[in-house]
């Protein structure tokens, strides 16, 4: 039996325990895990330092190292995250509907745990704590498979959690980490049907595509965001300026940042030079169509590829469109279905944009940066789904659950 | 460009039209399609007769031919099915929630069409009409890929629908049938990401497994039901007898039929011989554990394989268990997560069974045969999901939709 199947079996057994665990017990376990994390701080930071040193020795640098590195502050945030999840409402057990049929059968739809959740992620040790906390609160066991560069850290963190769980009388199958970080085990995990109920990749486009292409376990696709803002003829230019600058520059590396700006042709003389200059002052490179290049000094010509690119950087593609129809058409062609916004004072155009643009989140007169579980009031999120099945948009605790029908009968049979 | 990609493009264009089509227009199109189906009766029956003759010439017989064959009555049922779907509530546009955040953003979650749905099915021409009707009402375009034996019939039916749609001003991309029924096109369809939003296989276990194993498009797994009934010590034996007989024999070929009977050991002398005899009188073969074989004359010994088998036939596996725990343990091991039932008069055991058995539908004192969109009051169903993602149990119109967040702002930016 492979290690992964053994982990799958353990996780399924743990899921049975979790499925009927009272909320107070789950919260207690989460708080205990948070304490244990802080108590083991030295130990975890030591393991992390070894991971970071090995990564640097392998020539890795920059943002990757930053994401890999744990500090006192980050560990405290991880612990605080677990306590926050404990404070959220338990989604399990909610009865979504209940009705009595003509034949007297009473049928209810009840929210129940998913069972076993798989998470494949990159070298960000904080995901280990986040995913564990959310899955536990949602009543599911989790099998984690993190990037190889963080393996020492992840192992240590999971050991700490397992010890805390054991002290609460809970099985270690509640949270497990895949120790062998080879590509083969990742591929095996993607085909662990019968053990995993869902697989959620968290990371860059490459990781997500690999999971989508290879997984036979149901996947929730997260993340890629080629987000547009269309500034309509009737836009309040002050609002438009503020929204575009915020969506592009407040945190350019994230999936809900704006990547592409569409401007109504009637604003080519007014708003376009103004926003171009303001973006450039914030160190944003403007890649534009012909009109943009004429109106924005320093803008460079955009290629076809630019319209489809999620830069996740200080770059924006910019195009002038004839009207709302052309804006919607452009978005339809290049959207990744994440977040799309219009800035307009025209009621009908606002409603049309909301109705006709097909994305997880569609905005009128607000920054796309709000697409986030925390901002939406979910308390926490496991990721942002850009697929249409199961969950769309920020996924909180509810999106980590499923439902079952419960039927109360009195001897009914089907005629 | 392959035929399928071309179909995908057409379907996506049609989905844009459908996404904003008023309910009355959709209903009109459905009723028009129903009329057109009846008007083309001769033509369709002729195509079907050719399909049937070819299948028979290829040596196919029995239930397969029955499912392939259209009659006046079946065509009328297909037309009536479309009219019924027209009479159902439109799921699209429902706002599931709407709230105002502290920063004044108003966030709503709205039910919207899925986009493009793929259906892979076997040689049952009635699925062509069912799937078309449900998808259209749910606002999605559909690409159908039916079994090769029904291709002439399916082509004719889809042509009839497309003509009716054209007369309503709707594009033919609303419903398309894959003309090339080779395995290669099926495989290509399973990897049509970017065009198909979801793929639903309808048919036997082999078809479903092939789609689950090969599809990179998100799949909803339907159908396989190894359904158990546990008759508890405190059961009302008259109810138990009625429920087991109904669940096993009312229609043994379907997925919600009972396949396995678990009997509390205290009932080994009373209920077990009684139900054994009653089942045998209905021509059901009893395959039992040791005790069953002792108590039910004519029962044959069950093998390990029997416990895991969906017979879809006049056969039942039967086992005596010590108590509720052993019953739940057995079910956990062999369930396909479809429908499970307990017959009991004990309150606590009833609640424990509902809580601890993990399946799409869990029953107390009723036949498993009720797991059905029609019976549950959905008006119609596209299948019964046995997976936990997106939909679980009978899937009606709502389960064929997705949601999007709509956000009304007033210039908000993220700090």
């Amino acid at each position: 039996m492979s290690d992964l199947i053994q982990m799958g079996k353990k996780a399924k057994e743990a899921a049975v325990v979790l499925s009927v665990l009272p909320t107070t017990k789950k919260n207690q376990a989460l708080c205990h895990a948070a304490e244990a994390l802080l108590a083991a701080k030295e130990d975890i930071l030591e393991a992390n330092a070894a991971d970071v040193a090995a990564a640097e020795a392998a020539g890795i640098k920059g943002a990757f190292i930053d994401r890999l590195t744990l500090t006192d502050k980050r560990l405290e945030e991880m612990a605080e995250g677990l306590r926050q999840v404990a404070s959220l409402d338990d989604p399990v057990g909610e009865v979504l509907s209940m009705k009595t049929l003509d034949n007297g059968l009473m049928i209810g739809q009840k929210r129940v745990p998913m069972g076993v959740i798989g998470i494949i992620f990159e070298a960000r040790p904080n995901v280990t704590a986040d995913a564990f906390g959310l899955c536990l609160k949602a009543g599911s066991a989790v099998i984690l498979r993190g990037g190889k560069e963080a393996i020492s850290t992840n192992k240590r963190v999971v050991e700490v959690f397992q010890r805390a769980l054991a002290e609460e009388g809970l099985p270690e199958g509640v949270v497990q980490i895949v120790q062998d970080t080879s590509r083969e085990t990742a591929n095996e995990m993607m085909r662990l049907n019968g053990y995993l109920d869902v697989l959620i990749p968290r990371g860059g486009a490459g990781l997500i595509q690999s999971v989508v292409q290879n997984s036979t376990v149901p996947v929730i696709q997260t993340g890629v965001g080629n987000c547009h803002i269309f500034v309509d003829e009737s836009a309040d230019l002050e609002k438009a300026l503020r929204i575009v600058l915020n969506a592009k520059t407040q945190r350019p590396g994230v999936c809900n940042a704006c990547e592409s700006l569409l401007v109504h042709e009637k604003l080519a003389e007014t708003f376009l030079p103004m926003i171009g200059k303001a973006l450039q002052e914030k160190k944003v490179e403007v890649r534009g169509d012909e009109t943009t290049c004429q109106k924005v000094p320093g803008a460079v010509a955009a290629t076809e590829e630019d319209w489809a690119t999620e830069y996740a950087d200080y770059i924006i593609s910019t195009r002038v469109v004839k009207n709302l129809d052309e804006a919607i058409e452009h978005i339809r062609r290049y959207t990744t279905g994440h977040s799309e916004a219009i800035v307009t004072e025209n009621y009908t155009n606002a409603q049309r944009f909301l109705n006709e643009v097909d994305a997880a989140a569609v905005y009128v007169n607000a920054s796309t940066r709000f697409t986030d579980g925390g901002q939406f009031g979910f308390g926490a999120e496991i990721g942002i789904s850009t697929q249409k099945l199961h969950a769309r948009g920020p996924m909180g605790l509810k999106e980590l659950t499923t439902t079952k029908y419960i039927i109360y009968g009195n001897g009914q049979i089907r005629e």
Side-chain angles (χ1 to χ4, degrees), chain A:
Chain A
M1 198 188 314
S2 83
D3 287 355
L4 264 170
I5 289 182
Q6 214 134 20
M7 289 172 76
K9 280 185 196 287
K10 268 196 196 173
K12 279 188 88 163
E13 284 164 23
V16 168
V17 176
L18 286 175
S19 72
V20 292
L21 201 67
T23 307
T24 47
K25 280 292 293 178
K26 290 193 277 192
N27 292 344
Q28 210 170 298
L30 286 165
C31 293
H32 194 144
E35 275 166 43
L37 198 63
L38 294 180
K41 197 190 272 187
E42 304 291 304
D43 207 26
I44 295 169
L45 291 180
E46 193 182 292
N48 185 250
D51 277 337
V52 172
E56 284 174 338
I60 295 170
K61 42 190 118 158
F64 189 101
I65 295 290
D66 176 53
R67 289 193 294 265
L68 173 60
T69 305
L70 286 185
T71 59
D72 270 31
K73 184 161 173 285
R74 283 194 179 166
L75 263 176
E76 273 155 30
E77 284 167 1
M78 284 159 69
E80 185 49 32
L82 293 174
R83 280 192 219 103
Q84 261 180 28
V85 170
S87 75
L88 297 176
D89 284 341
D90 190 337
V92 173
E94 185 188 357
V95 176
L96 304 169
S97 67
M98 179 73 88
K99 65 181 170 188
T100 303
L101 304 183
D102 291 345
N103 62 9
L105 278 183
M106 195 165 78
I107 300 195
Q109 195 180 19
K110 191 177 171 185
R111 198 183 288 289
V112 298
M114 191 69 83
V116 181
I117 297 172
I119 314 263
I120 297 192
F121 58 108
E122 292 171 341
R124 299 182 67 160
N126 61 315
V127 174
T128 312
D130 283 6
F132 155 71
L134 288 165
C135 292
L136 170 54
K137 185 67 181 253
S140 283
V142 64
I143 298 179
L144 299 162
R145 198 276 188 191
K148 66 175 185 296
E149 298 82 0
I151 185 65
S152 303
T153 316
N154 287 339
K155 275 164 71 172
R156 206 60 62 92
V157 169
V158 168
E159 277 162 23
V160 168
F161 289 156
Q162 287 178 334
R163 215 177 309 131
L165 292 169
E167 286 163 14
E168 296 288 333
L170 293 175
E172 65 177 32
V174 168
V175 54
Q176 299 174 86
I177 182 112
V178 179
Q179 312 248 340
D180 172 356
T181 56
S182 67
R183 180 168 286 269
E184 287 67 38
T185 58
N187 284 332
E188 192 190 342
M189 188 164 165
M190 294 180 207
R191 307 186 83 84
L192 211 59
N193 301 61
Y195 297 99
L196 288 184
D197 293 293
V198 58
L199 188 57
I200 305 174
R202 281 191 58 169
L207 170 70
I208 291 165
Q209 271 314 305
S210 160
V211 173
V212 167
Q213 289 299 319
N214 296 308
S215 183
T216 52
V217 172
V219 170
I220 300 182
Q221 196 172 342
T222 59
V224 180
N226 183 23
C227 306
H228 299 77
I229 296 177
F230 169 51
V231 181
D232 194 16
E233 179 183 2
S234 68
D236 174 327
L237 299 190
E238 191 274 322
K239 279 183 203 165
L241 196 74
R242 188 151 45 114
I243 289 169
V244 173
L245 285 178
N246 181 260
K248 181 67 253 178
T249 68
Q250 196 245 355
R251 202 170 159 203
V254 293
C255 59
N256 56 19
C258 174
E259 302 293 2
S260 202
L261 171 65
L262 304 173
V263 177
H264 192 287
E265 63 177 13
K266 294 268 173 64
L267 303 180
E269 305 290 338
T270 52
F271 180 71
L272 188 55
M274 188 163 91
I275 186 69
K277 184 156 171 272
L279 284 164
Q280 287 166 338
E281 277 167 6
K282 295 263 192 185
K283 311 277 178 235
V284 176
E285 178 187 333
V286 178
R287 300 191 187 170
D289 65 349
E290 218 183 299
T291 313
T292 304
C293 290
Q294 285 163 12
K295 307 293 174 192
V296 180
V300 298
T303 64
E304 173 62 24
E305 207 191 325
D306 280 298
W307 308 121
T309 299
E310 183 191 25
Y311 301 114
D313 203 349
Y314 286 87
I315 309 172
I316 193 165
S317 63
T318 303
R319 195 184 149 195
V320 173
V321 294
K322 265 210 310 275
N323 50 29
L324 175 64
D325 287 301
E326 205 175 283
I328 291 177
E329 208 183 294
H330 178 98
I331 292 172
R332 245 179 223 142
R333 184 148 173 206
Y334 298 105
T335 183
T336 55
H338 194 296
S339 302
E340 307 294 354
I342 184 174
V343 185
T344 190
E345 295 298 314
N346 180 300
Y347 171 83
T348 297
N349 286 1
Q351 291 294 99
R352 275 195 59 203
F353 193 87
L354 288 174
N355 286 333
E356 296 179 30
V357 170
D358 190 25
V362 190
Y363 293 82
V364 178
N365 293 348
S367 170
T368 54
R369 287 278 295 113
F370 286 107
T371 306
D372 173 277
Q375 296 293 322
F376 275 22
F378 300 169
E381 71 169 34
I382 191 83
I384 295 171
S385 164
T386 51
Q387 72 180 33
K388 295 185 185 177
L389 228 57
H390 187 72
R392 199 174 189 205
M395 293 188 290
L397 286 172
K398 283 188 184 175
E399 286 71 24
L400 286 177
T401 65
T402 182
T403 59
K404 74 175 166 194
Y405 286 101
I406 53 174
I407 300 110
Y408 293 89
N410 182 31
Q412 282 86 347
I413 60 170
R414 189 151 164 200
E415 309 293 347

